[in-house]
Amino acid sequence: MSETRRIIVAITGASGTILGIRLLEILWGIDGVETHLVMSPAAMRTLPIETDYSVDAVSALAHRTHSFKDIGASIASGSFRHEGMIVAPCSVKTLSAVANCMSDDLIARAADVCLKERRRLVLMFRETPLHAGHVSIMDQALRNGAIVMPPVIGLYYRPQTVMDIVNHLAGRALDLLGFDAGTVVRWNGQPKRSGAD
């Protein structure tokens, strides 16, 4: 019998909570995957502004939900085996905590554990424009081992809706943990024009 593949999804208060929600929806449909969710208090405030989801509805999309302040949760320990963690969206506060090893909440603690255990940590940093402090903490988070993946929109696949963009970005984040979600439009090279070499 194959081992359950666990993934941690964290949602912070930055704009873009739909990214974390869509990740949970996609992962729910993959056999053998168990999701662990942590939402910050700021995420719970942002959620109803940006979406029609309630906190309870988002929590129901995860196999396990952990309290933001429960630093004694399973995911706070390096002995808890999992495939990695995606913070979607990732706020400046959370990026700063990862960069500076500040573990005073469960999102920051679970992220720090990922790095010390050499597991994948994907930070979908949602801020623009950037000042020098943002660039500096992105650099430090990268040096610590995180993958900083701002949800930058690609247009080569000609998205028609916001959800086309969300699906693509969620799929690209899951690519980094070794999951093909089936939502990424893959680039197969530019089509050759008739008569071109």
Side-chain angles (χ1 to χ4, degrees), residues 6-70:
R6 300 184 181 106
I7 296 181
I8 302 168
V9 175
I11 302 176
T12 72
S15 183
T17 53
I18 192 64
L19 291 165
I21 294 166
R22 189 66 186 120
L23 283 166
L24 292 169
E25 290 174 338
I26 292 168
L27 290 166
W28 188 268
I30 300 176
D31 287 339
V33 170
E34 178 182 283
T35 52
H36 289 252
L37 170 66
V38 188
M39 294 181 70
S40 73
M44 294 178 187
R45 290 187 65 175
T46 303
L47 182 70
I49 297 169
E50 297 187 334
T51 76
D52 293 327
Y53 289 84
S54 67
V55 171
D56 287 343
V58 175
S59 296
L61 294 171
H63 296 91
R64 304 277 186 277
T65 300
H66 303 277
S67 169
F68 177 70
K69 284 297 183 183
D70 184 9

Side-chain angles (χ1 to χ4, degrees), residues 155-169:
L155 299 174
Y156 70 88
Y157 60 97
R158 298 197 176 189
Q160 301 298 302
T161 67
V162 171
M163 286 311 297
D164 287 345
I165 295 167
V166 170
N167 282 330
H168 190 79
L169 289 167

Side-chain angles (χ1 to χ4, degrees), residues 92 95-96 125 127-139:
V92 173
L95 176 65
S96 182
F125 181 49
E127 190 59 76
T128 191
L130 306 174
H131 60 62
H134 297 145
V135 175
S136 176
I137 60 174
M138 280 195 286
D139 177 64

Side-chain angles (χ1 to χ4, degrees), residues 66-77 80 103 105-106 109:
H66 303 277
S67 169
F68 177 70
K69 284 297 183 183
D70 184 9
I71 58 169
S74 58
I75 63 173
S77 172
F80 180 79
S103 299
D105 63 63
L106 185 56
R109 172 59 186 169

